[in-house]
Amino acid sequence: MMRDSVSRRLLAITVGVTVLAVALAGGVLLRHHRRSLVSGLESGTVILAKTVAEHCVLPLYFEDAVGAGEILAKLEPSAVVGRAALFDRKGRVIASYQQPGHDPPNVSLRQAPAMEHAGGYLHIWEPVLHRGAPQGTLYLAASTASVRGQTRNDLLVVLLASLAATALAVALAWMLQRSVTRPILRLAATMRGITGQTMLTTRVEHPGHDELGVLYRGFNGMLDQLAAQTAERDRSESRLRALLAALPDPVFVLDHRGFIAEVLAGGDARAPSAVEARGKTIEQVTAPDRAGDFADAIARALGTRSIQRIAYETDGKSGKRWFDAVLLPIRTAATTLEAHQDLVLFVPRDVTERHTLELDLRQLQKMDALGRLAGGVAHDFNNILTAIMGYGSLLSDRLRSEGGDLTEAEEILKASERAALLTQQLLAFSRRQVVEPSRLSLNELVRDIQRMLERIIGEDVQLVADLAPALADVHVDVGQIQQVILNLAVNAREAMPGGGTLTLRTRGLEVRGRLVGGPDLSAGRYVMLEVTDTGVGMDEAVRARIFEPFFTTKGRKGGTGLGLAMVYGIVRQASGDVLVVSEPDRGTTFRIYLPEAPAGAAAGAIRPRPLPHALPRGNESLLVVEDEPQLLELTCRMMRDQGYQVMGASDAHQALQICAVTTAPIHLMVTDIVMPRMRGTELAQAVRPLRPEMKVLFMSGYTDSPNLSGGAGTAFLQKPFTNDELSLAVRAVLAYGAEPAAGGGEIELDNGKRASD
């Protein structure tokens, strides 16, 4: 039990109050009773003195001492009067009386009526008057012993009453302790026992329905609520800890000066701990060179009470990383102990991956824009080359028939062929080149061109082929992949002027998702061709531009800058990707990613056959649709020279009108694909209901759609083309199109160009 317990205090208070009350009451009663006794003594003695004084008038008047003595002797029966004396006017004692056993103190004579308590006696002076004239003075000394005795008896009674009251108070305190104090003590003991969460299950019971019962039930209810709140608090804290642990970003709590007050959970392992960061400024643990920017952002957040953002970058052991930070102002609630505080939550997010992706996206957008530009240039250039090659072939045919010198005409055709090769490179970069994919083994392709590569790279460069066994096939254009390997080999040779090693490596891999710095590929299985040299390498600035068309580090006379652009275009057109890893003086590695060949892909490649000496002729009706006037006139002329009946249309709407109003059959429509307002493929679909038997030959310098089919009996001829190539294509479509293959097929032209049925 506690030293300063309620039980002890209640006992002390009960007994003390009872005794004090009895003592006060007894004291008041004693005082009142004593005053009553003293008052009675005084009034009785005064009356006695007045009576005796009246009888003493004559003895004083006649100066009769004997008579006066007899009168005073009559006071003997009074046990109160201890002494009496009669004085004349001159103050002489005429007669006196003293009760045996009494010895009151001597007092001086007083002429006037007086009363005085002294020495245990009541002293009274009563003047003796005769007709109003003083004759002398009577003095009486009455003993107060009876008053004192009665007072002692009363005090004893009061003491006995106090003892009885004390016993009664103790009994009352015991009863109170039994009925009130003990339940309170049990409640207090239970409260002391609640030292932790495990003790919140303790409950106290009280059988009654009085105020203590209400108190007990309220206490138990309070414990229930406290237990529920504690459980909810624990659950909330557990959820909060789980949420903070799951946060992808660290959370710093800053004061108004930018010092770190706390580091909440969350973020990766690179975030500083609370012990390491507390007391430092935020820029010390993030970006020391941005102290001013951080201070301004914190001031704006607190001043405007709005969210602020700041971007910064770091350059650590793991490389350069980019961050976007959010600053959220908060204000803590004021308490009785401290005022509110203005704080800022600083939440940095690592956006390195997003930043890298944005850079990649901008690079892809730039490359796409360059590709569109290259495709547009190639389209217009192919139209011009078609006119040059067409008129050059007409000129060559005429000179040949007249027996003239063909030297100039052949030089014109050779120059146009070189220009056509240049446009093919542009189209390969822009991914608008019509390709002829087939199923092939990349390992076999590398083995086939290995001898040719050894001649290209020279004897001072060692060629190493590291080919993975059981490599899956790819579905690509054979000629294009050969161009890719040859271009990379030539570049590697130029990067190793003093000799070195060129390694061709093949591997199979599976892509499951986009990785930062990885290839831009959808999920699936791929074959990788890696071309590595030990040359001079490239810095970051050069590496970022190597796939741009016309970009070269070889100077004006060193190259066209289209080789790697063509590599990029070919690989992207094949639904693959190409990555470059290079550093100055540490060589360069190109990684080519190509998708595995789907099941059922056709194998083999179309090989050209030599031109015959005589071009095939015909007399069928043709409709030529070309928006370029010079090419329209040239194409119509070349077909008329071969015996065909030719109609020309400068756009698709004119071609539709011709098909609608002409009653004679039209056996073949030769149409450009890229035309204003309506494309050639759309024209072929539009005329199909009007001329279901009419065949279609598409021609174009490039196409941005893999589906060139206008239905059964369609084919494609790529610009630029000569008179011979056009004649062979027209004749092949007319001859083969009578019985088109089911589902469409491919017509092999003698000049190696493709016609798709």
Side-chain angles (χ1 to χ4, degrees):
M1 181 177 294
M2 298 176 62
R3 294 181 179 179
D4 188 18
S5 66
V6 175
S7 177
R8 290 187 177 184
R9 289 201 301 270
L10 182 60
L11 178 61
I13 291 172
T14 303
V15 174
V17 169
T18 303
V19 172
L20 181 61
V22 172
L24 289 176
V28 171
L29 291 175
L30 284 175
R31 181 178 178 80
H32 178 71
H33 192 216
R34 186 178 184 282
R35 292 184 65 178
S36 298
L37 293 175
V38 172
S39 177
L41 177 63
E42 290 177 348
S43 62
T45 304
V46 170
I47 293 173
L48 179 62
K50 288 183 179 295
T51 303
V52 173
E54 290 177 356
H55 288 84
C56 290
V57 172
L58 292 177
L60 280 176
Y61 183 78
F62 295 105
E63 296 182 356
D64 183 5
V66 176
E70 292 177 354
I71 294 173
L72 295 180
K74 293 180 179 181
L75 295 174
E76 182 179 1
S78 175
V80 176
V81 179
R83 178 186 295 178
L86 182 63
F87 297 90
D88 60 8
R89 284 182 291 185
K90 295 181 180 180
R92 293 175 298 181
V93 178
I94 296 181
S96 64
Y97 167 78
Q98 183 168 347
Q99 188 84 309
H102 290 273
D103 187 17
N106 295 322
V107 295
S108 61
L109 177 64
R110 299 181 184 181
Q111 301 294 336
M115 182 183 300
E116 181 181 283
H117 288 274
Y121 289 86
L122 174 63
H123 305 275
I124 296 177
W125 290 269
E126 181 65 31
V128 179
L129 302 176
H130 178 64
R131 296 181 180 180
Q135 300 298 318
T137 303
L138 175 64
Y139 166 73
L140 290 180
S143 175
T144 60
S146 61
V147 174
R148 292 195 300 273
Q150 187 63 40
T151 301
R152 285 193 295 270
N153 293 334
D154 292 340
L155 180 59
L156 181 60
V157 172
V158 170
L159 291 176
L160 293 176
S162 298
L163 291 176
T166 301
L168 181 62
V170 172
L172 179 61
W174 180 81
M175 294 177 63
L176 286 175
Q177 183 178 3
R178 181 181 179 85
S179 59
V180 177
T181 310
R182 287 184 181 177
I184 295 177
L185 291 177
R186 288 200 303 270
L187 195 63
T190 304
M191 180 65 74
R192 287 195 301 271
I194 301 175
T195 57
Q197 180 181 356
T198 56
M199 296 300 296
L200 292 178
T201 56
T202 303
R203 296 295 182 270
V204 290
E205 300 296 335
H206 184 72
H209 296 281
D210 53 4
E211 289 80 359
L212 285 175
V214 174
L215 180 62
Y216 269 57
R217 289 190 293 274
F219 180 75
N220 291 335
M222 181 189 68
L223 288 180
D224 293 339
Q225 294 181 2
L226 184 60
Q229 292 174 359
T230 302
E232 180 60 28
R233 182 200 63 193
D234 293 341
R235 288 193 295 269
S236 299
E237 290 180 353
S238 178
R239 288 194 297 267
L240 180 60
R241 285 193 297 269
L243 289 174
L244 290 175
L247 286 176
D249 310 309
V251 179
F252 297 89
V253 182
L254 311 180
D255 62 13
H256 65 282
R257 300 173 301 168
F259 284 90
I260 300 173
E262 189 60 57
V263 180
L264 302 182
D268 54 28
R270 290 173 297 186
S273 65
V275 176
E276 296 173 348
R278 189 178 293 114
K280 297 181 180 179
T281 59
I282 186 61
E283 61 268 13
Q284 287 178 309
V285 299
T286 53
D289 58 336
R290 299 290 300 277
D293 297 335
F294 281 115
D296 293 342
I298 293 172
R300 286 196 305 271
L302 293 176
T304 61
R305 311 303 301 175
S306 61
I307 298 175
Q308 301 294 319
R309 298 180 182 275
I310 185 172
Y312 63 93
E313 61 186 58
T314 62
D315 194 0
K317 296 180 180 180
S318 59
K320 183 172 291 187
R321 306 194 70 81
W322 286 263
F323 293 86
D324 280 347
V326 178
L327 293 91
L328 299 90
I330 59 174
R331 171 171 288 190
T332 61
T335 65
T336 57
L337 298 178
E338 59 182 13
H340 65 77
Q341 286 183 300
D342 289 325
L343 302 175
V344 174
L345 291 184
F346 184 87
V347 186
R349 168 157 293 183
D350 191 336
V351 294
T352 304
E353 181 177 354
R354 187 184 72 187
H355 183 80
T356 305
L357 291 176
E358 289 175 353
L359 293 178
D360 292 345
L361 177 61
R362 284 196 290 270
Q363 179 67 15
L364 289 175
Q365 289 173 339
K366 181 173 69 174
M367 298 297 289
D368 184 67
L370 290 173
R372 292 177 182 273
L373 174 63
V377 170
H379 171 261
D380 295 338
F381 197 34
N382 272 335
N383 285 338
I384 297 173
L385 286 177
T386 301
I388 294 174
M389 294 179 70
Y391 283 110
S393 62
L394 290 178
L395 177 61
S396 178
D397 291 343
R398 190 182 68 183
L399 292 175
R400 184 181 295 108
S401 62
E402 295 175 355
D405 187 4
L406 302 179
T407 303
E408 290 82 358
E410 289 177 351
E411 289 299 325
I412 293 174
L413 292 176
K414 289 179 181 180
S416 62
E417 288 176 357
R418 289 195 298 272
L421 179 61
L422 181 61
T423 60
Q424 292 301 313
Q425 292 177 333
L426 287 174
L427 290 174
F429 168 76
S430 64
R431 289 178 283 166
R432 287 172 170 83
Q433 184 183 32
V434 178
V435 298
E436 186 178 350
S438 60
R439 187 186 191 100
L440 61 90
S441 170
L442 201 57
N443 286 348
E444 293 297 330
L445 179 64
V446 172
R447 294 189 185 100
D448 289 344
I449 65 173
Q450 188 170 353
R451 184 177 297 275
M452 180 172 55
L453 290 177
E454 290 174 348
R455 291 196 300 267
I456 292 175
I457 62 178
E459 296 180 355
D460 56 347
V461 176
Q462 180 183 5
L463 179 62
V464 177
D466 180 11
L467 306 180
L471 190 68
D473 292 343
V474 293
H475 191 246
V476 292
D477 185 275
V478 178
Q480 286 189 338
I481 295 301
Q482 289 176 341
Q483 292 179 28
V484 168
I485 298 176
L486 290 174
N487 273 280
L488 293 179
V490 170
N491 277 357
R493 177 66 185 88
E494 293 176 351
M496 297 182 291
T501 302
L502 175 63
T503 303
L504 301 182
R505 182 179 293 107
T506 58
R507 293 291 185 271
L509 74 156
E510 182 176 1
V511 176
R512 297 183 178 179
R514 179 75 167 90
L515 299 176
V516 176
D520 182 16
L521 301 171
S522 58
R525 297 195 60 82
Y526 292 83
V527 174
M528 181 189 71
L529 170 63
E530 187 176 273
V531 181
T532 302
D533 64 62
T534 58
V536 296
M538 295 175 284
D539 58 22
E540 185 176 355
V542 174
R543 190 170 63 249
R545 299 187 60 191
I546 57 174
F547 293 130
E548 295 180 9
F550 311 112
F551 174 76
T552 178
T553 58
K554 304 173 185 177
R556 292 185 176 181
K557 299 181 180 180
T560 62
L562 287 174
L564 292 179
M566 182 190 68
V567 169
Y568 178 84
I570 290 174
V571 175
R572 295 296 291 179
Q573 190 175 18
S575 300
D577 196 15
V578 54
L579 293 183
V580 183
V581 178
S582 181
E583 292 183 16
D585 300 325
R586 302 189 67 175
T588 301
T589 297
F590 287 86
R591 294 190 178 99
I592 309 297
Y593 298 89
L594 298 172
E596 287 188 2
I606 300 174
R607 300 184 180 276
R609 291 200 298 265
L611 290 172
H613 294 290
L615 294 177
R617 298 176 62 84
N619 58 359
E620 290 88 351
S621 176
L622 306 181
L623 173 60
V624 178
V625 187
E626 173 61 63
D627 62 310
E628 185 69 31
Q630 190 178 29
L631 290 185
L632 176 61
E633 180 182 357
L634 173 64
T635 305
C636 291
R637 177 180 173 180
M638 287 190 295
M639 291 297 95
R640 290 191 183 101
D641 290 347
Q642 298 303 321
Y644 296 101
Q645 302 176 27
V646 183
M647 294 175 287
S650 60
D651 56 34
H653 293 287
Q654 187 177 359
L656 286 173
Q657 292 178 355
I658 294 175
C659 291
V661 301
T662 302
T663 58
I666 301 177
H667 300 92
L668 176 65
M669 179 175 68
V670 181
T671 178
D672 191 13
I673 292 179
V674 181
M675 295 186 297
R677 293 185 295 278
M678 182 180 290
R679 296 171 58 85
T681 52
E682 297 172 346
L683 172 62
Q685 296 294 334
V687 301
R688 184 63 59 191
L690 300 175
R691 302 280 177 167
E693 75 287 350
M694 183 178 64
K695 311 304 177 188
V696 179
L697 174 61
F698 293 116
M699 57 181 181
S700 180
Y702 80 102
T703 177
D704 54 3
S705 173
N707 183 15
L708 302 178
S709 177
T714 61
F716 177 79
L717 178 65
Q718 185 166 341
K719 296 178 182 179
F721 51 79
T722 63
N723 185 19
D724 299 345
E725 293 168 347
L726 177 61
S727 299
L728 285 171
V730 169
R731 191 69 260 164
V733 173
L734 289 173
Y736 188 76
E739 296 290 339
E746 293 184 349
I747 300 174
E748 184 179 349
L749 304 180
D750 288 341
N751 62 350
K753 299 217 174 180
R754 187 183 64 147
S756 301
D757 181 22

